[in-house]
Amino acid sequence: MTDHDKIPVTVLTGFLGSGKTTLLNRILTENHGQRIAVIENEFGEIGVDQELVINAEEEIFEMNNGCICCTVRGDLIRILGSLMKRRDRFDRIIVETTGMANPGPVAQTFFVDDDMREQFALDGIVTMVDARHFALHVDANEEAREQVAFADVIVLNKTDLVTAEQLDALERRVRAMNALARIVRADPLERARIPMESVLGIGGFDLARALEHKPTFLEPEYPFEWVGLFGLEAGPHELVLENGPDPAMGLALFKAVGGADEAARDAAERAFQWFSDDVAPIPPGQRIVPASVLVELDLRDAGTKRFGCDIAERGDYWLATEHLPEEFALRLLDPRGRSVTAQREQAFDPGHTHDDEISSLSLEAEQPLDPKKFSDWLGRELQVQGASIYRMKGFLNFKGVADRIVIQGVHMLTDNTSLGPWGHRPRRTQIVFIGRKLDTEALSSGFYTCLAE
Amino acid sequence: MPDLLRLDREPGQDRQRAALRDAVREWTGQALGLDDTATVVVTELACGEPGCPPLEVVIAVFAPHSPRRQCHIHCGLTELDETRVRGAWERNPSCGEHTHD
């Protein structure tokens, strides 16, 4: 059976009142052409109007007493077994959990044995977050933290109840707990309204996208969130910013060393030292010149703010900004007023405190892995740390294996499959662990002993 | 250490294991008198805890309106045969369980 033949399963989690049922009803009424079987753990206040709705009573099954890594949901196994006898009546399954449910056993149910893995594909865990009450929930409940940590997609819902600044802060906190998930903000005018493609059919594509474009967890914490490389001609340029979340923002504009080939991390390391300088903010209308210094922009005025930017010679320049450019709709205009796009860019995690004890670790290697060493190491590590590792995902580059291997796991259970040849993609291993109090030292040091000789 | 990734497992081996799981389900069904409404899960688990066997097979039976039954056999899936499966169910429906303190 190929991955295309498997039945995709979406697990919908979220704390009480976060809007799970509202989203579920949206999914069911959206015109996506899919027949959906719904497994519900509770009948909420809002009914679900659907032909194939099955009510389940949470039944925790410890396959190996006391081992949370081997804990699955017996009720789901019963229902899935029964649903398979009606396979022709639906195309997809959505499991809506109770607000207090730990997503671990639900997710593990789909990894628990080979037959389950052959018939079902865990398409994604979607976690609804009540933007207004999330802090309250997450501070008081382990389940709320786990729901975020396990998620592939996190929907920030009820966004009409918080300010833009509060929403940004919420997104940062959520991002700090789960570096890999796609974070989607629901429409503030219509709760739980989000693009359906952001929650259905996400599968491996989302993993590729996340790993290739958002590896912020790879980086050390910098006092800035973004660097971008620009090829600029000589002449007067302009930095244009709109209203944003901060009345001031630090940035550095500096020449790339060795031209366009300089790595973003090298540029970030150079900029790091300047950002500790104490400088006076400059008001809009002032001019900036490329230099190894921090510039603090005064952004208190409402509306569009423009700063001159004098480039003496044509070349490659880095711009490091304290906030993400999109937060201020930042644009760099050339002497003819055209917007210049960054040739390369990298976002970094802002300096945050890991008060939630839940974090992500990403490991990466260009050198191929030895399959036997890696398999043995991962097996040992999952036995030791499996209870702490909520999710694991990654692409594996093995010596002697032509294909790109994708791996994902929940606690101690893993599944891997071939995505076909690497093709034009650079062969590189990237693996991410999301968990609680991870022993990152052990994971990092062990991982690099698996490199092939 | 069992091969976690199963990269070098030939397709024939997967088919052999799938056939074995089907057989274990059938032997279980016969031993317990199950009909086709029951779901039988056959899982091979590795356990690294001191004193635990390196591999065990957990067979769990989920039948409508019945309590779950489970059976642990301390060996790998490929070491199972009809005698061991039937014997395990006949001895005790929750036989061979081990616990983690």
Side-chain angles (χ1 to χ4, degrees):
Chain A
M1 182 176 276
T2 68
D3 273 8
H4 291 295
D5 300 323
K6 295 181 182 181
I7 300 167
V9 180
T10 301
V11 176
L12 187 52
T13 75
F15 224 63
L16 302 167
S18 59
K20 293 188 297 295
T21 310
T22 310
L23 176 62
L24 179 58
N25 275 319
R26 285 203 188 285
I27 293 172
L28 294 175
T29 52
E30 198 85 8
N31 184 24
H32 42 57
Q34 296 189 50
R35 295 166 304 163
I36 297 176
V38 179
I39 302 174
E40 281 193 313
N41 275 127
E42 59 188 353
F43 287 120
E45 289 175 14
I46 310 165
V48 175
D49 182 18
Q50 173 77 354
E51 189 186 345
L52 200 50
V53 178
I54 298 141
N55 189 232
E57 197 165 323
E58 194 172 43
E59 175 190 347
I60 298 291
F61 168 36
E62 291 180 356
M63 300 178 74
N64 201 339
N65 283 3
C67 176
I68 67 161
C69 303
C70 304
T71 301
V72 298
R73 285 277 295 271
D75 54 319
L76 284 180
I77 292 174
R78 287 176 200 273
I79 291 168
L80 293 170
S82 151
L83 272 177
M84 285 314 291
K85 297 180 177 73
R86 293 180 275 173
R87 175 67 185 90
D88 57 327
R89 289 183 56 192
F90 60 92
D91 305 308
R92 164 181 292 277
I93 295 172
I94 295 181
V95 181
E96 184 190 4
T97 70
T98 65
M100 293 299 285
N102 173 356
V106 181
Q108 285 181 151
T109 303
F110 299 96
F111 290 85
V112 69
D113 75 349
D114 290 337
D115 297 299
M116 204 63 95
R117 281 196 292 238
E118 279 172 16
Q119 295 182 82
F120 303 99
L122 181 59
D123 183 44
I125 298 176
V126 177
T127 295
M128 297 293 284
V129 163
D130 174 346
R132 176 79 175 274
H133 297 107
F134 177 72
L136 196 66
H137 294 158
V138 87
D139 287 340
N141 294 282
E142 182 66 21
E143 291 85 0
R145 291 192 285 275
E146 288 180 347
Q147 287 172 357
V148 169
F150 271 96
D152 297 292
V153 178
I154 296 166
V155 179
L156 306 184
N157 195 28
K158 303 191 175 180
T159 53
D160 54 311
L161 300 180
V162 294
T163 64
E165 289 77 16
Q166 287 170 325
L167 196 56
D168 288 338
L170 169 64
E171 184 164 336
R172 284 165 196 274
R173 185 166 186 191
V174 167
R175 172 61 68 211
M177 294 168 71
N178 185 335
L180 209 51
R182 175 190 288 190
I183 299 176
V184 184
R185 295 182 178 191
D187 189 336
L189 300 177
E190 205 169 351
R191 289 179 185 169
R193 177 163 292 287
I194 51 170
M196 282 301 112
E197 62 271 20
S198 63
V199 288
L200 296 182
I202 53 178
F205 167 76
D206 213 51
L207 174 59
R209 188 192 60 86
L211 285 173
E212 285 164 17
H213 301 296
K214 287 190 174 177
T216 54
F217 36 84
L218 301 177
E219 307 301 331
E221 289 176 1
Y222 291 110
F224 44 87
E225 293 186 15
W226 182 86
V227 294
L229 180 71
F230 294 87
L232 301 178
E233 58 186 279
H237 289 62
E238 217 174 18
L239 272 176
V240 182
L241 299 95
E242 305 299 333
N243 295 334
D246 211 331
M249 179 171 75
L251 62 78
L253 179 66
F254 53 104
K255 199 141 200 273
V257 173
D261 292 336
E262 186 181 19
R265 185 181 291 199
D266 292 341
E269 286 296 326
R270 290 197 289 131
F272 182 78
Q273 54 191 313
W274 313 322
F275 271 74
S276 58
D277 294 344
D278 191 13
V279 296
I282 62 167
Q286 295 281 304
R287 306 196 74 75
I288 301 164
V289 291
S292 304
V293 294
L294 172 68
V295 177
E296 186 83 0
L297 305 181
D298 182 340
L299 304 173
R300 285 174 298 177
D301 291 350
T304 304
K305 293 158 276 283
R306 296 172 181 273
F307 297 84
C309 192
D310 295 325
I311 304 299
E313 61 173 324
R314 179 189 181 89
D316 296 298
Y317 294 86
W318 287 102
L319 179 64
T321 57
E322 190 181 344
H323 295 286
L324 294 173
E326 54 262 36
E327 293 182 69
F328 288 91
L330 184 150
R331 287 168 294 149
L332 179 56
L333 305 182
D334 72 7
R336 276 159 286 183
R338 296 175 306 189
S339 186
V340 189
T341 308
Q343 299 166 1
R344 281 191 286 126
E345 59 184 313
Q346 186 152 353
F348 301 101
D349 250 350
H352 50 69
T353 54
H354 295 277
D355 57 339
D356 295 310
E357 295 181 344
I358 289 172
S359 60
S360 309
L361 169 73
S362 178
L363 300 169
E364 192 169 347
E366 304 280 343
Q367 199 175 330
L369 298 170
D370 179 306
K372 175 78 169 63
K373 285 184 188 171
F374 180 80
S375 178
D376 287 353
W377 165 74
L378 186 62
R380 284 193 303 273
E381 212 54 61
L382 293 181
Q383 282 175 2
V384 175
Q385 294 205 55
S388 308
I389 297 170
Y390 294 157
R391 300 292 299 272
M392 175 193 56
K393 308 178 189 183
F395 296 115
L396 305 174
N397 169 27
F398 286 120
K399 185 178 182 180
V401 177
D403 288 355
R404 189 160 72 132
I405 306 294
V406 63
I407 186 167
Q408 67 161 323
V410 180
H411 286 309
M412 206 172 79
L413 306 174
T414 65
D415 191 17
N416 59 278
T417 185
S418 165
L419 294 178
W422 283 87
H424 66 277
R425 298 179 192 86
R427 290 188 66 127
R428 185 170 60 164
T429 293
Q430 285 176 288
I431 185 165
V432 178
F433 296 89
I434 300 169
R436 182 172 176 270
K437 292 184 178 176
L438 292 175
D439 184 348
T440 54
E441 185 63 38
L443 287 169
S444 301
S445 57
F447 171 75
Y448 290 107
T449 64
C450 304
L451 299 177
E453 289 165 3
Chain B
M1 177 67 61
D3 177 16
L4 186 81
L5 300 172
R6 300 170 293 174
L7 287 174
D8 53 1
R9 189 181 286 172
E10 298 294 326
Q13 284 178 284
D14 279 339
R15 280 198 294 275
Q16 185 197 354
R17 291 174 67 86
L20 253 172
R21 289 194 304 274
D22 285 342
V24 170
R25 274 190 278 270
E26 192 179 331
W27 299 327
T28 297
Q30 289 166 357
L32 301 179
L34 303 175
D35 61 25
D36 64 0
T37 60
T39 301
V40 181
V41 173
V42 181
T43 304
E44 184 182 65
L45 291 180
C47 185
E49 294 281 314
C52 289
L55 279 179
E56 69 173 335
V57 176
V58 181
I59 310 169
V61 178
F62 300 86
H65 317 297
S66 303
R68 181 187 63 245
R69 281 172 282 186
Q70 67 189 86
C71 161
H72 297 240
I73 305 176
H74 292 163
C75 64
L77 179 69
T78 54
E79 297 165 78
L80 283 183
D81 57 25
E82 183 171 359
T83 308
R84 287 189 85 157
V85 174
R86 283 181 177 274
W89 283 118
E90 282 162 13
R91 278 193 301 278
N92 188 329
S94 293
C95 63
E97 211 167 309
H98 75 262
T99 58
H100 294 159
D101 297 326

